[in-house]
Amino acid sequence: VSTQAQVLYDFTAEPGNNELSVREGETITLTNQNVGGGWIEAKNSRGEVGLVPEDYIEVCSGFQKWLLQRRHAVCAEDDEWDEEWDDVKSSGGYAESEAGEGGAINRGGAHVRSHLTDWTHIQESSNLVHGGEVGPVWAYPDYQLDCVVADPKKGSKMYGLKSYIEYQVTPTTTNKPVNHRYKHFDWLYERLLDKFGSAIPIPCLPDKQVTGRFEEEFIKMRMERLQGWMSRMCRHPVISSSEVFQLFLSYKDEKDWKTGKRKAEKDETVGVMIFSTIEPEGLPDLDLTEVEQKCEQFNRFTRAMDDGVKDLLTVGNEHWKRCTGPLPKEYQRIGKAFQNLSSVFTSSGYEGEAALTDALTAAGKTYEDIAQMVAEQPKKDLHFLMETNNEYKGLLGCFPDTIGVHKAAIEKVKEGDKLVATGKITTSEKTAMSKRASTMSYALQAEMNHFHSNRIYDYNRVMQQYLEQQVKFYEMIAEKLRNAHSQFTTM
């Protein structure tokens, strides 16, 4: 008699794997319980056969049980760098990469229209919006959360058949490190996108990569970009204070992590429902026409900034290639030419020119040193400027979806009178719609002001850093040239 089991959680098969998609509550037939590695072969109700995580099911006959999560939790237990899953290769560059070009989920207006009139306030901590000097702003905490992503270590699963990189994440609140693989970060990104993406742009994670994923240079780059992503999330008062983000930073043990993940995956306050947790404290309802104008102005600005950021990335990428390619070679050629001329002078046999030939040789070597300095300089200055712009390219690509949600809400309110006239909604419902749209507008303006304040801070910081390094670079070149100059005697 075949053993049947009840599916405890939805599981979505990953493309290219021998996995089986099943639904919560579905009854499946176990065809091979001895696969190993945490998997069981089964047949679903559609007659399809494949592998299912054993922790997703409860055997109907007997008392054997397995506990677990949904798809992403399996990813956390499985190989961080599973080639069948992590199948997008990153160029590692700036101008070529299209990651973060837009939000992963389009929050179209139909979704807003279907929920604008029937929000249910879900009891969880409110996200307050205050009136500030520049307009509506989020309520910022007294203490700025941050975290450090460091100490990458290689581990293995499934008897050493699969390997992964695990990072240590230490929040400033507890100073206690927790360990996470890339798929944990990806899980967090998906949760934040589902929960906050209608109100807050959630930039994509750094690109996935298949080849070279255990090379030291790639691990360093990945860690740096994860650090940048986490720091940006920490700086947002709504995201950083959310339960799911706090879980990621400070879970107590494996049981606490898994329990928190299940709870987060069942969270109903997602999509436009997030606006039910936002309270414009003591602020009047907004004039939606005026808000619409501000929204359009911001939309134009972000599109223009997106173009500017991409242009800088393109120019910076070209400059990087010149600094590490043809430009050092030009300096090397000059240096070699000076040294060759010095050799020619030496062959003359004329006494009294040793000082000249020595100085000429030294000048040639100086230019060879400068060539090396030029090749190494982008990592010291241009790198940070490019990284910041790469982050903003991803962030700016998310705004169209967030703005689209707001525009759809305003359109729905505009239709309010017609809906009342046709009996589709009541007058009180129309008033409620307007109030909720006003809340959405406050949230959007708070987000706009958050973006601007961070933009000013980030570009002020990175430009200072870039120019400081440029000054040091040219001062070192000037010093080398002065030394070379001093070796030539004055006639």
Side-chain angles (χ1 to χ4, degrees), residues 119-129 138 195-196 199-200 238 267-280 439 443:
W119 285 352
T120 302
H121 188 79
I122 297 175
Q123 295 301 315
E124 64 174 51
S125 58
S126 296
N127 301 297
L128 299 179
V129 178
W138 296 114
K195 187 171 181 66
F196 298 111
I200 299 168
V238 176
D267 188 0
E268 295 180 357
T269 315
V270 296
V272 295
M273 294 304 296
I274 192 62
F275 293 106
S276 68
T277 71
I278 295 172
E279 294 183 10
T439 297

Short mmCIF file of all heavy atoms in Angstrom, two decimals, residues 119-129 138 195-196 199-200 238 267-280 439 443:
data_model
loop_
_atom_site.label_atom_id
_atom_site.label_comp_id
_atom_site.label_asym_id
_atom_site.label_seq_id
_atom_site.Cartn_x
_atom_site.Cartn_y
_atom_site.Cartn_z
N TRP A 119 -9.90 48.27 3.09
CA TRP A 119 -8.78 47.99 3.98
C TRP A 119 -9.30 47.54 5.33
O TRP A 119 -10.26 48.06 5.87
CB TRP A 119 -7.94 49.25 4.21
CG TRP A 119 -7.09 49.62 3.04
CD1 TRP A 119 -6.88 48.90 1.91
CD2 TRP A 119 -6.34 50.83 2.90
NE1 TRP A 119 -6.04 49.56 1.08
CE2 TRP A 119 -5.69 50.76 1.65
CE3 TRP A 119 -6.14 51.94 3.70
CZ2 TRP A 119 -4.87 51.76 1.19
CZ3 TRP A 119 -5.34 52.95 3.24
CH2 TRP A 119 -4.70 52.86 2.00
N THR A 120 -8.61 46.59 5.89
CA THR A 120 -8.88 46.18 7.26
C THR A 120 -7.65 46.52 8.07
O THR A 120 -6.56 46.07 7.73
CB THR A 120 -9.16 44.67 7.36
OG1 THR A 120 -10.26 44.36 6.51
CG2 THR A 120 -9.46 44.26 8.79
N HIS A 121 -7.82 47.31 9.10
CA HIS A 121 -6.66 47.69 9.88
C HIS A 121 -6.14 46.49 10.64
O HIS A 121 -6.85 45.88 11.44
CB HIS A 121 -6.99 48.81 10.87
CG HIS A 121 -5.78 49.36 11.55
ND1 HIS A 121 -4.93 50.26 10.96
CD2 HIS A 121 -5.25 49.09 12.76
CE1 HIS A 121 -3.95 50.57 11.78
NE2 HIS A 121 -4.12 49.85 12.88
N ILE A 122 -4.93 46.11 10.37
CA ILE A 122 -4.31 44.96 11.02
C ILE A 122 -3.48 45.46 12.18
O ILE A 122 -2.71 46.41 12.06
CB ILE A 122 -3.43 44.19 10.02
CG1 ILE A 122 -4.33 43.65 8.90
CG2 ILE A 122 -2.68 43.07 10.68
CD1 ILE A 122 -3.59 42.97 7.79
N GLN A 123 -3.66 44.82 13.31
CA GLN A 123 -3.01 45.29 14.52
C GLN A 123 -1.51 44.98 14.50
O GLN A 123 -1.09 43.86 14.72
CB GLN A 123 -3.66 44.64 15.76
CG GLN A 123 -5.12 45.04 15.97
CD GLN A 123 -5.27 46.53 16.15
OE1 GLN A 123 -4.51 47.15 16.88
NE2 GLN A 123 -6.27 47.11 15.51
N GLU A 124 -0.73 45.95 14.18
CA GLU A 124 0.72 45.87 14.33
C GLU A 124 1.20 47.29 14.51
O GLU A 124 0.43 48.24 14.39
CB GLU A 124 1.39 45.21 13.13
CG GLU A 124 1.24 45.94 11.82
CD GLU A 124 2.07 45.28 10.73
OE1 GLU A 124 1.97 44.07 10.52
OE2 GLU A 124 2.82 46.03 10.08
N SER A 125 2.47 47.43 14.86
CA SER A 125 2.97 48.76 15.18
C SER A 125 2.78 49.71 14.01
O SER A 125 3.00 49.37 12.86
CB SER A 125 4.46 48.68 15.54
OG SER A 125 5.19 48.12 14.48
N SER A 126 2.36 50.94 14.33
CA SER A 126 2.08 51.93 13.29
C SER A 126 3.37 52.61 12.85
O SER A 126 4.32 52.76 13.61
CB SER A 126 1.10 52.98 13.81
OG SER A 126 -0.13 52.39 14.11
N ASN A 127 3.39 53.00 11.58
CA ASN A 127 4.49 53.77 11.03
C ASN A 127 4.01 55.21 10.91
O ASN A 127 3.13 55.50 10.10
CB ASN A 127 4.90 53.22 9.67
CG ASN A 127 5.32 51.77 9.76
OD1 ASN A 127 6.29 51.44 10.42
ND2 ASN A 127 4.58 50.89 9.10
N LEU A 128 4.56 56.09 11.71
CA LEU A 128 4.05 57.46 11.79
C LEU A 128 4.70 58.36 10.76
O LEU A 128 5.87 58.23 10.42
CB LEU A 128 4.30 58.02 13.19
CG LEU A 128 3.65 57.28 14.36
CD1 LEU A 128 4.02 57.95 15.67
CD2 LEU A 128 2.14 57.23 14.20
N VAL A 129 3.88 59.30 10.25
CA VAL A 129 4.35 60.35 9.36
C VAL A 129 4.12 61.68 10.06
O VAL A 129 3.01 61.97 10.51
CB VAL A 129 3.61 60.33 8.01
CG1 VAL A 129 4.09 61.48 7.14
CG2 VAL A 129 3.82 59.00 7.31
N TRP A 138 8.94 60.62 7.59
CA TRP A 138 8.77 59.47 8.47
C TRP A 138 9.22 59.83 9.88
O TRP A 138 10.05 60.72 10.07
CB TRP A 138 9.59 58.28 7.99
CG TRP A 138 9.22 57.71 6.65
CD1 TRP A 138 9.96 57.72 5.50
CD2 TRP A 138 8.00 57.03 6.33
NE1 TRP A 138 9.29 57.09 4.49
CE2 TRP A 138 8.08 56.65 4.97
CE3 TRP A 138 6.86 56.69 7.05
CZ2 TRP A 138 7.06 55.97 4.31
CZ3 TRP A 138 5.85 56.01 6.41
CH2 TRP A 138 5.95 55.65 5.06
N LYS A 195 6.01 43.07 1.35
CA LYS A 195 5.38 43.83 2.43
C LYS A 195 5.37 45.33 2.18
O LYS A 195 4.35 45.99 2.39
CB LYS A 195 6.10 43.53 3.75
CG LYS A 195 5.42 44.15 4.98
CD LYS A 195 6.04 43.64 6.26
CE LYS A 195 5.35 44.25 7.47
NZ LYS A 195 3.95 43.80 7.61
N PHE A 196 6.49 45.87 1.71
CA PHE A 196 6.62 47.33 1.64
C PHE A 196 6.68 47.89 0.23
O PHE A 196 6.66 49.11 0.05
CB PHE A 196 7.89 47.76 2.38
CG PHE A 196 7.90 47.45 3.84
CD1 PHE A 196 8.75 46.48 4.35
CD2 PHE A 196 7.05 48.10 4.71
CE1 PHE A 196 8.77 46.18 5.70
CE2 PHE A 196 7.04 47.81 6.07
CZ PHE A 196 7.91 46.84 6.56
N ALA A 199 4.73 50.92 -1.05
CA ALA A 199 4.94 52.24 -0.44
C ALA A 199 6.40 52.68 -0.46
O ALA A 199 6.69 53.88 -0.47
CB ALA A 199 4.45 52.21 1.02
N ILE A 200 7.33 51.71 -0.47
CA ILE A 200 8.74 52.01 -0.33
C ILE A 200 9.53 51.27 -1.41
O ILE A 200 9.40 50.05 -1.53
CB ILE A 200 9.26 51.58 1.06
CG1 ILE A 200 8.51 52.34 2.17
CG2 ILE A 200 10.76 51.80 1.18
CD1 ILE A 200 8.74 51.78 3.55
N VAL A 238 11.10 52.75 8.54
CA VAL A 238 10.00 51.77 8.49
C VAL A 238 10.55 50.36 8.33
O VAL A 238 10.15 49.43 9.04
CB VAL A 238 9.03 52.10 7.34
CG1 VAL A 238 7.94 51.04 7.23
CG2 VAL A 238 8.40 53.47 7.56
N ASP A 267 2.44 36.56 6.71
CA ASP A 267 2.03 37.93 7.00
C ASP A 267 1.00 38.40 5.97
O ASP A 267 1.21 38.30 4.77
CB ASP A 267 3.26 38.83 6.97
CG ASP A 267 2.98 40.24 7.44
OD1 ASP A 267 1.82 40.54 7.79
OD2 ASP A 267 3.92 41.07 7.45
N GLU A 268 -0.12 38.91 6.43
CA GLU A 268 -1.18 39.38 5.53
C GLU A 268 -1.07 40.87 5.24
O GLU A 268 -1.75 41.39 4.35
CB GLU A 268 -2.55 39.08 6.14
CG GLU A 268 -2.84 37.59 6.28
CD GLU A 268 -4.20 37.32 6.89
OE1 GLU A 268 -4.88 38.30 7.25
OE2 GLU A 268 -4.57 36.15 7.00
N THR A 269 -0.22 41.57 5.98
CA THR A 269 -0.06 43.01 5.76
C THR A 269 0.97 43.21 4.66
O THR A 269 2.11 43.62 4.90
CB THR A 269 0.37 43.71 7.06
OG1 THR A 269 -0.41 43.24 8.14
CG2 THR A 269 0.17 45.22 6.93
N VAL A 270 0.57 42.92 3.44
CA VAL A 270 1.45 43.04 2.29
C VAL A 270 0.75 43.87 1.22
O VAL A 270 -0.45 44.12 1.28
CB VAL A 270 1.83 41.65 1.73
CG1 VAL A 270 2.63 40.86 2.76
CG2 VAL A 270 0.59 40.88 1.32
N GLY A 271 1.52 44.27 0.19
CA GLY A 271 0.92 45.07 -0.88
C GLY A 271 0.38 46.38 -0.33
O GLY A 271 0.98 47.02 0.54
N VAL A 272 -0.78 46.79 -0.84
CA VAL A 272 -1.36 48.06 -0.39
C VAL A 272 -1.85 48.02 1.05
O VAL A 272 -2.12 49.06 1.65
CB VAL A 272 -2.52 48.50 -1.31
CG1 VAL A 272 -2.01 48.79 -2.71
CG2 VAL A 272 -3.63 47.46 -1.33
N MET A 273 -1.96 46.80 1.63
CA MET A 273 -2.38 46.71 3.03
C MET A 273 -1.38 47.37 3.97
O MET A 273 -1.71 47.68 5.11
CB MET A 273 -2.58 45.24 3.42
CG MET A 273 -3.73 44.56 2.70
SD MET A 273 -5.30 45.43 2.92
CE MET A 273 -5.54 45.25 4.67
N ILE A 274 -0.15 47.59 3.50
CA ILE A 274 0.84 48.23 4.36
C ILE A 274 0.39 49.64 4.74
O ILE A 274 0.74 50.15 5.81
CB ILE A 274 2.23 48.27 3.68
CG1 ILE A 274 3.31 48.67 4.69
CG2 ILE A 274 2.24 49.22 2.50
CD1 ILE A 274 3.47 47.71 5.84
N PHE A 275 -0.42 50.27 3.88
CA PHE A 275 -0.87 51.63 4.19
C PHE A 275 -1.82 51.66 5.39
O PHE A 275 -2.03 52.71 5.98
CB PHE A 275 -1.55 52.25 2.97
CG PHE A 275 -0.61 52.50 1.83
CD1 PHE A 275 -0.64 51.70 0.70
CD2 PHE A 275 0.33 53.52 1.89
CE1 PHE A 275 0.23 51.91 -0.35
CE2 PHE A 275 1.21 53.75 0.85
CZ PHE A 275 1.16 52.94 -0.28
N SER A 276 -2.38 50.50 5.74
CA SER A 276 -3.25 50.46 6.92
C SER A 276 -2.46 50.62 8.21
O SER A 276 -3.04 50.85 9.27
CB SER A 276 -4.03 49.13 6.96
OG SER A 276 -3.16 48.04 7.19
N THR A 277 -1.14 50.48 8.12
CA THR A 277 -0.30 50.65 9.31
C THR A 277 0.32 52.04 9.40
O THR A 277 1.07 52.31 10.31
CB THR A 277 0.84 49.61 9.30
OG1 THR A 277 1.78 49.94 8.27
CG2 THR A 277 0.31 48.20 9.04
N ILE A 278 0.01 52.89 8.44
CA ILE A 278 0.62 54.22 8.40
C ILE A 278 -0.36 55.25 8.94
O ILE A 278 -1.51 55.30 8.52
CB ILE A 278 1.05 54.58 6.96
CG1 ILE A 278 2.16 53.63 6.50
CG2 ILE A 278 1.52 56.03 6.86
CD1 ILE A 278 2.52 53.76 5.05
N GLU A 279 0.10 56.06 9.85
CA GLU A 279 -0.74 57.07 10.48
C GLU A 279 -0.12 58.46 10.32
O GLU A 279 0.94 58.71 10.90
CB GLU A 279 -0.95 56.76 11.96
CG GLU A 279 -1.75 55.48 12.22
CD GLU A 279 -1.98 55.26 13.70
OE1 GLU A 279 -1.69 56.18 14.49
OE2 GLU A 279 -2.45 54.17 14.06
N PRO A 280 -0.75 59.35 9.55
CA PRO A 280 -0.28 60.75 9.50
C PRO A 280 -0.68 61.44 10.79
O PRO A 280 -1.81 61.88 10.96
CB PRO A 280 -1.03 61.33 8.29
CG PRO A 280 -1.59 60.15 7.57
CD PRO A 280 -1.83 59.10 8.60
N THR A 439 -3.67 59.21 3.06
CA THR A 439 -2.62 58.50 3.81
C THR A 439 -1.53 58.01 2.88
O THR A 439 -0.33 58.12 3.17
CB THR A 439 -3.24 57.31 4.58
OG1 THR A 439 -4.18 57.80 5.54
CG2 THR A 439 -2.16 56.51 5.30
N ALA A 443 2.46 59.02 2.79
CA ALA A 443 3.53 58.03 2.76
C ALA A 443 4.48 58.28 1.58
O ALA A 443 5.70 58.21 1.72
CB ALA A 443 2.94 56.61 2.67
#
